[in-house]
Amino acid sequence: MTESHKRYSAIVEKLREEGFKLTPQRMAIAKILAHSDGHPSVEDIFGRLKETFPTMSLATVYRNVLVLKSLGEALELGFPDGRNRYDGNRPYPHPHAICIRCRTIVDTAVDGIQDVTRAVADATGFRILTHRLDFFGICRTCQEQNDPDGEQE
C-alpha cells in the first residue's frame, strides 16, 4: 500500500471514529488531499471535483476541508491573499519551500526542527503547541524559464 493510500485510509478512519458521514463528496475531497503533492487550495479541489459532482458548491468543499483540518488530518498553510493551501499528506507542522512566482509549495525533509522548537521553548518559556517554518524563494523551474542563461536578475 502506498503512502497516499495509507493517508487516505487514516483520514477515513478518523472520520468514522468522530462520527462523520462518509458521503461521496467528503470521500472525494479526502482522496484529493491524501493523494496530492501540490498543496491544493479549496478552489483547486472544487475545480477537480466540479465535473464529478456538478451540484456541489464551493462552500461544501470549504466546510469539508475545515472538518479535516479540525480533525488534524489536513494542515492549513495560510497566506495574506486569503488563498490558503492544504496539506493532507503530512498534516503536521513541517518546513515548506514556497516559490514567490508560481506559488509552488514543496515539502522539505529537514532534520533538527524539533531541536529548534525546543530551543525556542527554552528561550521564551512558551509551551510550543505548533509551528510553521516557510522558506520563500524562486523555484528551479521559474529560474530556468525566466533566466535561461543563468544571469542574475
Side-chain angles (χ1 to χ4, degrees), residues 22-152:
L22 301 180
T23 65
Q25 295 89 341
R26 186 168 284 149
M27 301 305 289
I29 292 164
K31 185 173 273 190
I32 287 172
L33 284 170
H35 290 268
S36 179
D37 290 329
H39 304 79
S41 67
V42 168
E43 294 82 4
D44 295 333
I45 296 168
F46 178 69
R48 289 178 60 182
L49 295 175
K50 212 156 81 167
E51 190 174 312
T52 307
F53 300 100
T55 61
M56 183 171 57
S57 69
L58 182 61
T60 297
V61 177
Y62 184 73
R63 279 191 306 274
N64 279 283
V65 168
L66 288 181
V67 163
L68 295 174
K69 177 186 161 199
S70 73
L71 296 176
E73 296 299 329
L75 177 68
E76 181 178 57
L77 302 172
F79 293 97
D81 65 2
R83 198 172 140 98
N84 297 344
R85 308 272 288 275
Y86 297 88
D87 191 339
N89 286 327
R90 299 171 70 190
Y92 49 85
H94 59 278
H96 294 91
I98 302 168
C99 181
I100 62 171
R101 289 194 178 153
C102 69
R103 298 192 180 269
T104 294
I105 300 174
V106 178
D107 290 324
T108 59
V110 178
D111 293 330
I113 295 301
Q114 296 304 335
D115 296 337
V116 171
T117 304
R118 258 190 306 280
V120 169
D122 291 346
T124 63
F126 277 57
R127 181 171 53 97
I128 305 297
L129 302 175
T130 189
H131 71 272
R132 180 169 172 187
L133 181 59
D134 297 329
F135 297 89
F136 295 90
I138 301 169
C139 71
R140 184 171 289 132
T141 302
C142 286
Q143 289 176 53
E144 291 169 357
Q145 288 175 350
N146 293 313
D147 198 12
D149 299 322
E151 297 174 11
Q152 296 290 334

